[in-house]
Amino acid sequence: MIDAGLVEGERFDPGRARGRGTIDLLRSFRTAAALGWKMEANWTDPVLFFIYSVAKPVASALILVFMLQVIAGPAGIALRPFVIVGSALWSFVVSGVAGLAWAVLDDRERYRMLKYIYVSPSSFITILLGRGIARLAVGAMGAGITLAVGVIVLGVPFNLGDIDWLLLAIVLVLGAVTICALAVVMAAVCLQTRQESWDYPEVVVGALFLVVGAVFPLSVLPLPLQAFGLVSPLTWWIAGVRQALFPGGPSSIGGPGSLWQQLAGTLNPSAFEVVVALLLSGAVVTLASAILFRSGEARAKDRGLIDRTTGS
Amino acid sequence: MSGSIQAPAIDARGITRVYKAKPKDVTALAGIDLEVAPGEFFGLLGPNGAGKTTLIKILTTLLLPSAGTARIFGFDVATETRKIRRIMNMVAGGEQSGYGILEAREQLWMFSQFYGLGAREGWRRVDELIDAVGLAEQRNQRVSTLSTGQRQKMNFARGLLNDPWVFFLDEPTLGLDVSAARSVRELIVGWRAAVPGRTVLLTTHYMAEADELCERIAIVDRGRILAIGSPAELKRRVQRESIFRLELDRLAGGPGGLARLPGVVSAVAALNAPADPDAPVRQAVVINLVLREDSALAGVVAALDGLGAHIVALAKSEPSLEDVFVELVGRGFDDNEEAARSNEVPVEPHEAGQPDPEEKR
Ligand SMILES: Nc1ncnc2c1ncn2[C@@H]1O[C@H](COP(=O)(O)OP(=O)(O)OP(=O)(O)O)[C@@H](O)[C@H]1O
Ligand SMILES: [Mg+2]
């Protein structure tokens, strides 16, 4: 019944208990990302995929643009690039941060595979990050299409020659790391929950939306919220991408009367200042996420939550 | 201390586990000591809520014990998890698990990568296991379209990907029909027999399954091990008298005459239930005969002639693990689960742990 292929010898090889370090990590990451992409993107249902990954971000950007039009009139047109970029990036943040948390919940509640993933010798966080990257990729598509719609349909002035490619490359990399770190925190939180918690990630991310200058500048917020915005890496990331794509455009951070102006003395942060702030705040968040995830995983293991399902 | 192949496959000392729960904390395990040798087929038998799954979760590094230590081939479950995970694997029954959107083969390959196999080696191994578990026809089928039994076979293939030294099986046949349960059992037995030293720890609440598969069994209830031993040893504990099932063509005067014979504890007419329900109905008399010892049987046989009766069949009734359990705990095994069972896929009557004693010829 079990063929000879399963027989690997009379004796066990004690070396089996050792792994191969980085090779194993890369392999797990790659596999989780590739099959995660297949699972997250839901290719089997292109309509659903289109609605969630393309239509939703584009629609939310358009709603904001038209609201702006109604409120600000013709003056709103000048702010379109600001809104389009912020909104596109935001959908990227949502699918990244919520995506990883949902991967954890999906695996535990829906697929009931989290425990099998967990008891594999592979690094748990590496597999989760692989799944998260797949979600980020889906989010990046939505963001790209939103930008394209902004340029083509709304006539947002966009000039490839103007783009600060170096700045763009730096902030995209740092931003992706930061988003993954936030996603890991969210995943650790969702691992703790005993009841249905599918809404948590979106609620948390939605709250951040208001304070990171995604669609309106920080300067309109009360000072404590501005302070919160200034320590959030997402604020600097969005500002950096804006500055790279539309150099000289309005900034979400500075402006007359802003907290930034009071603290730094300049009207707007320079590209260099944006990168440094993103690097520092991003590093803090990444470090914190590593610690939080470790303790979250340990807590979940201690309480028997790794294979907890709410339905049973 | 580090692991070795000389160490016990499982070595648990004083494992306690308390769950924090709402009205009051639940003590799922109250001091478990257990040693399983490499190559053993070991069973944990106990009713619902006994703590079987909790123990498996601790041994498979899914859950931390509240107190006590456990080692798998010498590796500590609390601190050497990565090493343990490379040499063990687990399969649980009674669940619908799987990434519905992936093909069976893909899902298995994904896990092969998590177990550190090379890409091509992974495919080779997956195909080999798919054939071994009997899923050849479903290899490219979406997981969501597999039946419960097929999913469980796929789950087994996943569990065998790393060719574990110790395989933890938590009620692996739960919810499977008769033939699927049988093929899963054959799979386990075949896999273990192929290489000496392969160790299995199986939990079940099906008496017959434990009896059939396990070399040694621990009977657990309320987080404690009540008894450990081979099925025969456990049964011998409760067997103080010899019980025979005697089938006669007729018996003038009823069984009362037999009860008065020396060495006979009791002789009671049993329900006339022939072993084979399709057999033609016979006018036989079946008597449950309890003797002080086997030797008293001679006197009974001699006396039958005088009563004008002929023996149609005679079998010695062995006590079942159920009897052992009742003796140990003072209550039946399935007392609180009949309701749950009625919603389940029918299982072999043999498997359902029927309270009537099983007969061995
Ligand atoms: N996460 C948890 N939180 C609180 N109590 C729990 C938890 N998991 C299990 N228990 C309790 O611990 C006890 C042992 O449960 P366990 O699942 O180990 O039993 P079992 O022997 O596997 O039972 P079954 O045959 O029903 O699977 C039960 O009383 C159960 O209610
Ligand atoms: Mg159980």
Side-chain angles (χ1 to χ4, degrees):
Chain A
M1 153 112 242
I2 303 278
D3 57 276
L6 291 184
V7 180
E8 289 186 347
E10 293 286 300
R11 278 170 53 84
F12 294 126
D13 166 20
R16 275 272 307 283
R18 284 191 297 272
R20 282 173 304 177
T22 322
I23 299 179
D24 286 344
L25 281 184
L26 284 176
R27 195 186 297 289
S28 297
F29 181 77
R30 230 183 313 130
T31 310
L35 291 179
W37 171 251
K38 185 163 176 175
M39 281 186 269
E40 317 307 351
N42 205 353
W43 297 115
T44 48
D45 198 340
V47 176
L48 211 61
F49 175 70
F50 178 80
I51 289 174
Y52 276 98
S53 308
V54 179
K56 203 174 153 202
V58 170
S60 40
L62 290 181
I63 289 170
L64 288 171
V65 165
F66 289 120
M67 274 166 55
L68 188 70
Q69 184 88 28
V70 171
I71 296 164
I77 294 182
L79 286 171
R80 274 184 184 174
F82 185 93
V83 170
I84 288 286
V85 171
S87 170
L89 292 183
W90 198 250
S91 72
F92 183 64
V93 172
V94 174
S95 56
V97 173
L100 188 59
W102 282 332
V104 168
L105 289 174
D106 268 342
D107 269 23
R108 187 172 71 171
E109 316 269 332
R110 188 141 67 103
Y111 306 128
R112 303 189 176 217
M113 293 301 280
L114 197 68
K115 66 174 168 196
Y116 294 122
I117 298 265
Y118 193 76
V119 300
S120 82
S122 198
S123 144
F124 189 45
I125 184 74
T126 304
I127 294 180
L128 291 184
L129 281 174
R131 295 281 300 274
I133 288 290
R135 293 257 185 174
L136 265 187
V138 173
M141 272 179 55
I145 291 171
T146 306
L147 281 180
V149 167
V151 172
I152 295 163
V153 180
L154 299 176
V156 166
F158 186 69
N159 190 344
L160 282 178
D162 287 347
I163 294 178
D164 185 341
W165 292 103
L166 180 65
L167 178 63
L168 186 65
I170 294 173
V171 294
L172 281 186
V173 170
L174 293 179
V177 172
T178 304
I179 291 171
C180 283
L182 288 172
V184 163
V185 173
M186 215 55 238
V189 169
C190 283
L191 206 51
Q192 313 301 319
T193 54
R194 280 163 189 265
Q195 62 300 91
E196 292 284 341
S197 48
W198 300 87
D199 296 338
Y200 285 22
E202 274 192 320
V203 170
V204 172
V205 176
L208 281 177
F209 181 67
L210 298 176
V211 296
V212 298
V215 291
F216 48 80
L218 291 189
S219 56
V220 304
L221 295 172
L223 286 183
L225 286 183
Q226 281 197 51
F228 189 84
L230 288 185
V231 297
S232 160
L234 291 177
T235 312
W236 300 100
W237 176 61
I238 292 175
V241 177
R242 269 202 191 103
Q243 210 153 321
L245 291 180
F246 301 99
S251 161
S252 55
I253 291 176
S258 64
L259 182 61
W260 167 263
Q261 195 188 27
Q262 293 173 32
L263 293 175
T266 56
L267 192 60
N268 288 317
S270 68
F272 179 71
E273 284 163 336
V274 168
V275 169
V276 170
L278 174 56
L279 191 62
L280 290 179
S281 58
V284 170
V285 165
T286 306
L287 202 68
S289 80
I291 295 168
L292 277 172
F293 187 82
R294 259 166 189 266
S295 60
E297 183 196 333
R299 184 181 180 276
K301 187 176 171 186
D302 183 49
R303 312 235 163 155
L305 299 171
I306 306 279
D307 66 338
R308 183 89 180 180
T309 50
T310 48
S312 56
Chain B
M1 188 176 130
S2 74
S4 83
I5 48 174
Q6 277 85 37
I10 298 166
D11 186 7
R13 305 272 163 98
I15 293 284
T16 301
R17 173 67 214 198
V18 179
Y19 288 108
K20 303 242 176 303
K22 276 287 155 56
K24 65 184 172 88
D25 292 355
V26 180
T27 301
L29 296 176
I32 296 278
D33 294 301
L34 184 66
E35 193 172 314
V36 176
E40 249 191 305
F41 201 128
F42 195 91
L44 287 175
L45 180 64
N48 291 134
K52 305 180 295 291
T53 299
T54 303
L55 183 57
I56 287 233
K57 280 164 73 169
I58 289 171
L59 297 176
T60 56
T61 74
L62 258 177
L63 180 70
L64 290 172
S66 307
T69 57
R71 292 174 182 280
I72 305 295
F73 282 96
F75 298 122
D76 191 303
V77 293
T79 56
E80 294 173 290
T81 51
R82 195 61 64 76
K83 287 175 180 153
I84 291 176
R85 289 168 184 175
R86 291 201 179 91
I87 58 163
M88 71 84 189
N89 216 319
M90 67 170 276
V91 166
E95 58 180 22
Q96 286 277 342
S97 60
Y99 296 108
I101 209 166
L102 299 181
E103 289 172 11
R105 201 165 165 262
E106 270 176 335
Q107 175 172 321
L108 287 172
W109 181 78
M110 175 170 99
F111 273 94
S112 77
Q113 301 304 291
F114 296 162
Y115 277 94
L117 273 67
R120 205 150 339 120
E121 191 191 355
W123 287 119
R124 188 188 57 76
R125 181 102 181 116
V126 164
D127 286 334
E128 195 176 275
L129 284 168
I130 280 182
D131 292 337
V133 302
L135 272 185
E137 278 171 43
Q138 288 79 27
R139 74 175 71 224
N140 291 320
Q141 215 166 298
R142 281 257 180 77
V143 172
S144 58
T145 64
L146 296 179
S147 74
T148 309
Q150 289 165 346
R151 277 196 197 211
Q152 190 62 339
K153 287 179 180 172
M154 187 181 68
N155 207 353
F156 263 89
R158 181 199 51 69
L160 294 174
L161 276 169
N162 63 333
D163 201 9
W165 296 4
V166 47
F167 201 11
F168 292 94
L169 302 170
D170 191 8
E171 314 228 19
T173 59
L174 193 65
L176 301 187
D177 71 18
V178 178
S179 78
R182 185 177 301 127
S183 58
V184 159
R185 280 196 299 269
E186 281 170 359
L187 189 66
I188 303 167
V189 170
W191 171 79
R192 193 185 77 103
V195 175
R198 284 177 173 168
T199 315
V200 176
L201 181 95
L202 170 121
T203 80
T204 183
H205 62 267
Y206 297 143
M207 310 277 175
E209 187 168 279
D211 205 346
E212 175 191 334
L213 298 176
C214 303
E215 293 166 339
R216 272 203 312 148
I217 292 173
I219 294 186
V220 280
D221 187 41
R222 300 178 196 199
R224 287 178 203 283
I225 293 182
L226 304 178
I228 297 189
S230 69
E233 279 165 7
L234 290 173
K235 289 175 199 165
R236 230 174 286 135
R237 286 178 173 228
V238 297
Q239 188 163 34
R240 288 186 209 97
E241 289 134 350
S242 301
I243 306 166
F244 289 89
R245 187 175 181 276
L246 180 61
E247 201 174 322
L248 305 169
D249 59 348
R250 73 190 110 88
L251 182 60
L258 294 179
R260 283 188 289 274
L261 293 170
V264 177
V265 177
S266 68
V268 184
L271 292 175
N272 192 354
D276 179 4
D278 296 330
V281 182
R282 286 167 295 170
Q283 294 301 314
V285 183
V286 180
I287 292 164
N288 277 341
L289 199 60
V290 180
L291 307 178
R292 229 175 298 285
E293 26 181 36
D294 285 1
S295 57
L297 192 60
V300 175
V301 173
L304 285 177
D305 216 26
L307 294 166
H310 294 104
I311 298 175
V312 178
L314 175 64
K316 181 162 185 182
S317 300
E318 300 264 339
S320 66
L321 288 172
E322 168 90 22
D323 300 327
V324 180
F325 186 82
V326 171
E327 167 105 358
L328 287 167
V329 212
R331 69 182 154 87
F333 199 88
D334 295 336
D335 283 358
N336 14 357
E337 62 181 83
E338 287 308 325
R341 169 92 38 77
S342 61
N343 302 327
E344 268 175 29
V345 188
V347 289
E348 279 172 300
H350 177 60
E351 261 182 358
Q354 298 282 302
D356 47 312
E358 216 184 305
E359 290 176 14
K360 299 231 160 137
R361 275 150 292 270

